[in-house]
Amino acid sequence: MKMRFGFASFSLLLACSGGAVTEQAASESGGATSATTGASSGAGGGATSSSSASSSVGASTTITASSTTAGGGTTGEGAGDPVSCTRAGLAAATQAYLAALSTHDPAGAPVTSSAKYTENTEEVAIGEGLWKTAGPIKLHRYLVDTEQCGTMSEVVLPEDGVDVIMGLRLKVESGGITEAEAIITRDGDWLFDAQGYLDSKDQTWDVLPEDQRSTREQLLAAAKAYFDVFNDKSVKPPFGEGCERLEGGQATAPCPVGIPDGVVIGNRRYLADVEAGVSVGIVLFGGESSGLLDAHFFRLIDGTIRNVHSMTVDSRFTTTGWPEAP
């Protein structure tokens, strides 16, 4: 259930909802990155890792993992093989899902027959909704959470020829994708600027050297602290020097600046990618029982937040369409 919510009276609440996303690179599986379309996200409360490299496909720039080839096939795992909960396996499944989405071919996605799919909290049959209107992927960053066997992606792609921003969470069980959750922001949503995300394509969020990585606990604690500070100024998120924030694609104040008080953020679910230093929170922004559907991505280096990216649907929801995390 959702209600349209005017931002004129809510601008202060969202004044600082930044988020972070990661780009994929050849280091994902140790090979060269090939051009393709694809992205997906993992469920639960963990984060996927990401690295990045960009390829030019016509006029579009696609960020992909080296474990996939054009058209969604995989190198190392056949298109019809069970999806493994490895970094390469989850990356390949994510790429295959997005390749299938952009060509309107659900049969090309490694989904199970009972898979659940939602678009902005509403359950939709796979093959319907964005599956009928999506175009070639222009930008794809994702994180891989092998502990939770899922991925979370930031994607820019056309919908009926007009660019939208999508956060995509994928969950794998028993060798196939069982959950696909799409958060789709469009013109009119909070600070929506698809071109802003496209212009950020040169950000590199590769797998980090081991001495720069944070623990899983640190990644999740940083995401939690960021949300907590909106309602408790005694909380100190671990912002690093020069931390930058993109909200909806627009660059806003440096990360510590402009965070309002008295804002409750509920229905939280987290993912974390230790190798890439990225965590993500999917939340209802602005209330425990209802709020704006939102995803924030956080990039950490040496235990401090360096980048935040967000996407926020300008409608108030009473549910995300998925169970709350325990």
Side-chain angles (χ1 to χ4, degrees), residues 117-321:
Y117 171 55
T118 62
E119 293 184 359
N120 290 354
T121 80
E122 301 291 335
E123 189 163 358
V124 178
I126 291 178
E128 300 298 322
L130 191 64
W131 280 89
K132 290 184 175 294
T133 58
I137 308 302
K138 294 186 175 183
L139 178 73
H140 175 212
R141 298 179 175 121
Y142 60 91
L143 53 85
V144 176
D145 189 341
T146 56
E147 183 168 312
Q148 297 198 47
C149 201
T151 64
M152 182 75 186
S153 298
E154 178 186 84
V155 185
V156 177
L157 75 167
E159 176 187 45
D160 282 332
V162 178
D163 285 349
V164 299
I165 301 167
M166 176 176 66
L168 180 65
R169 178 186 69 80
L170 299 179
K171 170 73 173 178
V172 170
E173 292 180 312
S174 302
I177 295 170
T178 57
E179 297 179 4
E181 176 181 9
I183 299 171
I184 305 168
T185 61
R186 302 174 172 92
D187 187 29
D189 283 320
W190 177 246
L191 294 182
F192 176 85
D193 185 357
Q195 187 59 49
Y197 272 125
L198 292 175
D199 290 344
S200 74
K201 64 183 176 62
D202 291 333
Q203 286 188 10
T204 56
W205 290 43
D206 300 340
V207 169
L208 293 170
E210 289 191 20
D211 62 355
Q212 294 183 3
R213 297 176 188 175
S214 305
T215 65
R216 184 180 184 86
E217 291 73 23
Q218 286 175 309
L219 292 169
L220 296 175
K224 182 178 184 296
Y226 185 92
F227 293 131
D228 286 347
V229 75
F230 281 82
N231 198 39
D232 182 356
K233 286 298 180 283
S234 70
V235 176
K236 303 299 180 185
F239 294 123
E241 184 176 355
C243 178
E244 298 179 346
R245 186 171 59 218
L246 280 181
E247 299 183 52
Q250 294 188 31
T252 57
C255 297
V257 177
I259 297 178
D261 199 7
V263 179
V264 176
I265 299 175
N267 205 324
R268 306 181 190 183
R269 289 168 292 142
Y270 299 103
L271 299 92
D273 180 343
V274 172
E275 291 179 70
V278 182
S279 56
V280 63
I282 302 172
V283 303
L284 290 181
F285 202 97
E288 282 291 352
S289 59
S290 68
L292 308 183
L293 183 63
D294 175 277
H296 278 61
F297 296 76
F298 306 91
R299 166 76 158 175
L300 276 72
I301 298 176
D302 294 329
T304 62
I305 301 173
R306 305 301 179 89
N307 296 89
V308 182
H309 287 194
S310 72
M311 57 191 72
T312 308
V313 180
D314 183 7
S315 294
R316 201 163 182 89
F317 297 84
T318 59
T319 176
T320 63

Side-chain angles (χ1 to χ4, degrees), residues 26-103:
S27 59
E28 194 70 59
S29 65
T33 305
S34 57
T36 182
T37 63
S40 131
S41 61
T48 1
S49 73
S50 70
S51 33
S52 44
S54 60
S55 309
S56 182
V57 182
S60 301
T61 298
T62 304
I63 306 230
T64 67
S66 59
S67 56
T68 65
T69 59
T74 64
T75 59
E77 290 195 33
D81 293 344
V83 178
S84 65
C85 288
T86 61
R87 191 176 195 85
L90 291 169
T94 297
Q95 298 288 353
Y97 183 98
L98 279 184
L101 176 70
S102 66
T103 56

